[in-house]
């Protein structure tokens, strides 16, 4: 079930568009931590949060990615304009409608994340 959902969230064709756009992993400045996670697994977890409307803390454990890691990667990818570049790369692609849904959700989440809180 989980594998099937993951493949529907990020089909191979979509992954072929997204993978080359992902920035390379860099370790944390303070050192420590764990080895980098599989980018596709992490991307899929982020897409799940973006499209399901759940909070980062509600990310199901079967993704194999912690909520903190998924959020950290989302923030890093947002800073590198991944979502805008993904939308441009998807033009005319078979998965373009689904990619546009993901991009729209990402941009909304990023705008909410960047917006100042109530005074």
């Amino acid at each position: 079930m989980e594998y099937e959902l993951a493949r529907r969230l990020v089909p191979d064709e979509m992954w072929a568009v997204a993978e080359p756009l992902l920035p390379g992993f860099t370790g944390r400045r303070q050192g420590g931590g764990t080895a980098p996670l599989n980018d596709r697994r992490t991307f899929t977890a982020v897409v799940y949060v973006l499209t399901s409307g759940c909070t980062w803390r509600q990310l199901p454990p079967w993704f194999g990615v912690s909520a903190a890691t998924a959020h950290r990667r989302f923030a890093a990818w947002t800073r590198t304009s991944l979502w805008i570049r993904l939308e441009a790369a998807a033009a005319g692609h078979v998965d373009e409608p689904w990619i546009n849904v993901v991009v729209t959700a990402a941009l909304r989440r990023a705008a909410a994340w960047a917006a100042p809180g109530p005074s």
Side-chain angles (χ1 to χ4, degrees), residues 15-90:
W15 180 240
V17 174
E19 182 180 26
L21 302 175
L22 297 177
F25 174 79
T26 55
R28 296 169 64 187
R29 286 191 306 259
Q30 69 270 26
T34 58
L37 293 172
N38 175 288
D39 280 338
R40 183 171 186 161
R41 183 179 285 248
T42 307
F43 185 77
T44 303
V46 169
V47 168
Y48 176 83
V49 171
L50 294 174
T51 59
S52 71
C54 75
T55 65
W56 296 104
R57 280 183 252 133
Q58 293 171 321
L59 179 66
W62 60 262
F63 278 102
V65 176
S66 73
T69 296
H71 182 264
R72 209 172 19 253
R73 229 26 104 77
F74 168 75
W77 292 339
T78 298
R79 283 191 299 273
T80 66
S81 301
L82 169 68
W83 311 113
I84 301 300
R85 293 182 295 119
L86 180 60
E87 184 176 44

Side-chain angles (χ1 to χ4, degrees), residues 86-97:
L86 180 60
E87 184 176 44
H93 192 271
V94 67
D95 283 330
E96 182 179 7

